[in-house]
Amino acid sequence: MANKGKRLTGAYNGIDRNITYPMVEAIKMVKSKASAKFDETVEIAMNLGVDPRHSDQMVRGVVSLPHGTGKSVRVAVFAKDAKADEARAAGADIVGAEDLMEQIQNGQIDFDRVIATPDMMGVVGRLGKILGPRGLMPNPKLGTVTANVAEAVTASKAGQVEFRAEKAGLVHAGIGKASFSEDALIENAAAFVDAIQKAKPTGAKGTYIKRVSVSSTMGPGVKVDTANLGAAPAS
């Protein structure tokens, strides 16, 4: 723990925690400070001026990052017959119906996303208390309840990210790996920010994007200037 604290303290060298940086500069700092022995995830956190307890202030959606997340996503699909075959052909890791429901009820949850065809929601609905709290419940607004399972599986595997405002209006997501190029991370960050801006709910009043920061798994957080969120990648 002492070594971890010493390493993190050293990582803050060159970062003024009392000021905010343009997104491009913040990404550069985070990438340069990622010094763990594994490929750290680069994350963005946004504090929004919303109260997600009110339905007209909920911020939720999906965004396809142009360069993916660098993470292997395991996808489970509830489908039967031809749709099940389509899901498997598209690369789904687990495909089933009542049998998949039983696996989940028995605690076998070794996947990151769940997709279902509309006719399977009667089965999936029984798993609400298990999948809901984990953020895995299929939702037509997120494109995870769909007849086009092949497209949904492909999008999930390619780096599609779901986001949802948590308590106090916090939204966060992984936008790549420290091994990504600066340009790739900047473009992914811009895509995520753009999706959040487009998802602004009707009930949001006052300042919508209040604070933003970027960090790596084991590195320091860098505050981002909310007026410089859409800066172009470095040349």
Side-chain angles (χ1 to χ4, degrees), residues 45-127:
M46 304 178 69
N47 188 247
L48 308 177
V50 298
D51 184 346
R53 292 176 297 179
H54 301 289
S55 60
D56 67 342
Q57 294 188 48
M58 171 52 70
V59 176
R60 187 175 187 182
V62 294
V63 56
S64 293
L65 301 181
H67 301 281
T69 63
K71 176 184 176 182
S72 177
V73 179
R74 287 182 57 81
V75 179
V77 178
F78 280 90
K80 289 183 175 180
D81 305 324
K83 292 298 180 183
D85 293 338
E86 288 178 22
R88 294 188 185 95
D93 299 279
I94 306 169
V95 181
E98 285 79 3
D99 56 332
L100 178 53
M101 177 187 71
E102 292 176 4
Q103 290 179 32
I104 294 172
Q105 289 174 329
N106 290 330
Q108 298 178 43
I109 306 176
D110 53 347
F111 46 79
D112 307 295
R113 181 165 298 188
V114 181
I115 295 166
T117 54
D119 61 303
M120 292 302 301
M121 286 308 293
V123 173
V124 179
R126 303 178 210 170
L127 301 169

Side-chain angles (χ1 to χ4, degrees), residues 15 26 181:
I15 298 175
S181 69

Side-chain angles (χ1 to χ4, degrees), residues 189-203:
F192 186 82
V193 169
D194 183 59
I196 295 298
Q197 290 173 327
K198 290 179 178 177
K200 181 178 179 178
T202 57

Side-chain angles (χ1 to χ4, degrees), residues 27-47:
I27 291 290
K28 288 181 179 180
M29 288 180 172
V30 168
K31 183 174 166 62
S32 69
K33 299 293 184 179
S35 59
K37 295 181 179 180
F38 61 93
D39 194 6
E40 298 180 50
T41 295
V42 175
E43 302 176 343
I44 185 169
M46 304 178 69
N47 188 247

